[in-house]
Amino acid sequence: LTPDVERLRDRPAPASIVVADSEDRVELQSLGTGRRARGALAVGTGAALGTAERYAVHSAVALLTLTTARSRSLQGAEQRLGAAVLRMLLAGQPDHARAVAGDLYGGLLDAPFRLLIAEAAAPAGPELLTETMEAAAARSGEALLLVPEGEGERVVVLAADGGAAVAACAAYAEAQDDRAPREGGAEDSDIVVGLSAPAGPIAVSAAYKQAEQALSVARRRGRALVEHEELAAGSVLPLLADDAVRAFADGMLRALHEHDAKGRGDLVASLRAWLSRHGQWDAAAADLGVHRHTLRYRMRRVEEILGRSLDDPDVRMELWLALKATAASAPAEE
């Protein structure tokens, strides 16, 4: 019945679906009120419901909906408590946070956890993700601290490192990335998530910054989820694949490319060789197959055209990054 329940959940409550085959007849009734159902009651019968049976089912739906509404109110109170705990952790007060958390969240703070920040790229994005994580945590008996931010389009979650909730989040994000290729990137996915490295209560502020950084990269790369550990362990070169960085590189090197396009020398290649050899004239000239005096002349022309001195380490760093950014974007342009 799972596919039918999912269809029912997408309809405004109250709603119902009848599923029938040669042997069984099942009527699904939505539970909850508002834009989206919170659950479903499945009633199996051999034939269509009679008047008394339908009255009993409607009474059950009313009682279960009331119970669901009370559960949502309790969840709201838990979230307000969780928000207070998170504020204390971010303020560097782990002892106070533990005291406030008590048994509700206390176990979560006794072991490494992950902090994730999820943003909605669609109206129901965070809601669907948090329901998935809550269900996984409930099945495994894990504590989960979940705090909505803003107008509900963003959520911060603390979940046990290596636990079922984090695994459910990763699976949810992977399902988003496995959809048909997206033209517009991450905005076409339900959610965008940044996940911190494993942390403890005294490092929540740092974990929050890690999740923010990972979230920013996920947006730029058009991915549903990015872990901060990917950024820390990888090369800096993928970070150069950004429109702002490419614009900076194009602007910095444009005059040199224009000079070379007129057949007046190969200043860009000479600059790259000289920088890669850390300013060693003989080694760079040998790489280019020219005399070192020729290379010295070309570097003077680079300084004249750019109006900047190659003796300045900041200038050399910016030029090297510009060359790397240009090289990184070349395959995509081809």
Side-chain angles (χ1 to χ4, degrees), residues 87-175:
R87 284 195 297 271
M88 291 177 187
L89 291 171
L90 290 173
Q93 300 174 334
D95 292 338
H96 290 167
R98 285 178 185 275
V100 172
D103 294 335
L104 185 59
Y105 298 118
L108 179 62
L109 305 183
D110 292 331
F113 52 76
R114 298 288 192 108
L115 187 148
L116 71 86
I117 301 175
E119 280 187 354
E127 182 180 350
L128 290 170
L129 173 63
T130 54
E131 287 182 3
T132 299
M133 295 184 68
E134 286 173 335
R139 286 193 298 268
S140 63
E142 298 173 8
L144 191 70
L145 192 156
L146 188 150
V147 181
E149 287 189 343
E151 297 299 321
E153 73 282 354
R154 180 179 165 111
V155 65
V156 179
V157 181
L158 291 186
D161 178 38
V166 172
C169 176
Y172 186 98
E174 184 177 358

